[in-house]
Amino acid sequence: MKVRSSVFASFILIFEVVGIALFLRGFFPVPVKSSFSSKSSLSDQPKEPLAGSAPNSSRLPQPLFKRVVIMLVDALREDFVLGPSGRMYMPYTRHLVEKGSSQSFVAKARPPTVTMPRIKALTTGSIPGFIDVVMNLNSPALLEDNLIWQAKTAGKRIVFYGDDTWVRLFPKHFMEYDGTTSFFVSDYTEVDNNVTRHLDSTLKRDDWDMLILHYLGLDHIGHISGPHSSLIQPKLLEMDDILKKIHSALVSKEAEGSLPYLLVLCGDHGMSETGSHGGSSEPEVNTPLVLISPAFKRKGKQQRGPVVEQVDLTPTLALGLGLPISQNSVGRVIPGVLEETSLRDQLRFLHLNGHQLSCLLKDSVADYEKDPGFEQFRVAEKAHGNWMKLYLEGNTSEVLTNMGKKVLKQYLEALAAMSSALSKQLGKYDMYSMVAGMNWWIIAVLWQSTAHFLLKPSHSDG
Ligand SMILES: *[C@@H]1O[C@H](CO)[C@@H](O)[C@H](O)[C@H]1NC(C)=O
Ligand SMILES: *[C@@H]1O[C@H](CO)[C@@H](O)[C@H](O)[C@H]1NC(C)=O
Ligand SMILES: *[C@@H]1O[C@H](CO)[C@@H](O)[C@H](O)[C@H]1NC(C)=O
């Protein structure tokens, strides 16, 4: 009986291990991404479509921005800026949102709404899996194609101050950096002062192209005392003052004849009603995205902007800076950002984004040719070629403008369809494995307790 029970016990143990392994397997997204080590490059950008002859122009539009400042406020919830209390919390920012040359959006972050996966999403444009939560505390360097790598490779000089997660993800990318640690959640003052202390000197200098700031204080306040704490307003007013300081410095640097600046205010995730984050509730996933640049039309009066995905910022910044879009990005360029460029450039920007998405789709989906977005992209590309032919012939009729607008619409629809197909594919956890693993485990536990019950008398015999 003894021998039999130990064999039985090992059998159950194996059964349990298999169950747990299967369950964990389900946490890894289906491996569909293109290879981790390869990266997009300017030389494999597609040619500009042209009907009739083979397209021979590799012309790329001029970048939209010269200098970019990204101010990321950890746990910045959408309503803190764009909601009714935004006027009280961030008056200067709110003024720019409503009356300045700006574009603002509600950017949806995907769960897990935790900092490291969100930084990865913002820089790669792809959808990290739940496994990233486990690795949140020990984030190694990011090897996947990403915006920071692309910018560095193109010779952009990047300066970073803030959450040291960035420094671990991008160990060799910054010309200058100072990482703050989020280890002491009770500290919400020094962690931000350590970022701000560099601003005056950095904003005076001209030797950088990209400045990234990641402020942690607001998130710490959320964890300590929630979104309705009396500490929230002073912290947001502090952030508002910093944005004002950066904006004024950028405005004073603007020079006639050179490309304009772009100032981005965003959050990595929001904050629940209890001040926590990680899940998929509305206040956790809704973050504000405010883009400020003289490249945009001054708004009459704009209310809470349209909803975009957080990952849409990635291709938007890439195209705006004249960089290739990271190859695993599922985002689509925010069309409003292109509105002041020529129709030819708008079409070309959408073409580049569409080409990148269609390549990712080819790598990720077996029957990609049947994907409606993929088909639509082919149709739009063809129409784009016809438009280009007439355009190069010097046709300036209204017919041509209307035709171009139609192509633009086709591209936008194709991008939306391909982006959503890819998000579904990449965000698809292996539900089957998870359910199967769970079942195995439950059966094993049931067997174990039954066996325990049945075998007990024989134990007391021995
Ligand atoms: C390439 O395109 C230009 C227009 O951009 C055209 O003038 C030229 O003839 C083309 N060359 C060839 C070899 O097709
Ligand atoms: C802020 O900077 C000081 C001095 O460089 C350092 O000792 C301290 O640990 C930093 N604080 C945080 C929260 O990173
Ligand atoms: C421009 O192209 C349209 C559409 O093909 C055509 O109807 C029109 O006559 C052309 N105009 C000129 C000036 O070439």
Side-chain angles (χ1 to χ4, degrees), residues 50 53-54 56-57 344 392:
L50 182 60
S53 57
N56 72 352
S57 163
R344 179 181 184 184
L392 290 176

Side-chain angles (χ1 to χ4, degrees), residues 178-182 184 187 190-191 194 197:
D178 183 15
T180 56
T181 165
S182 63
F184 301 104
D187 160 42
E190 184 183 284
V191 82
N194 273 14
R197 65 180 171 183

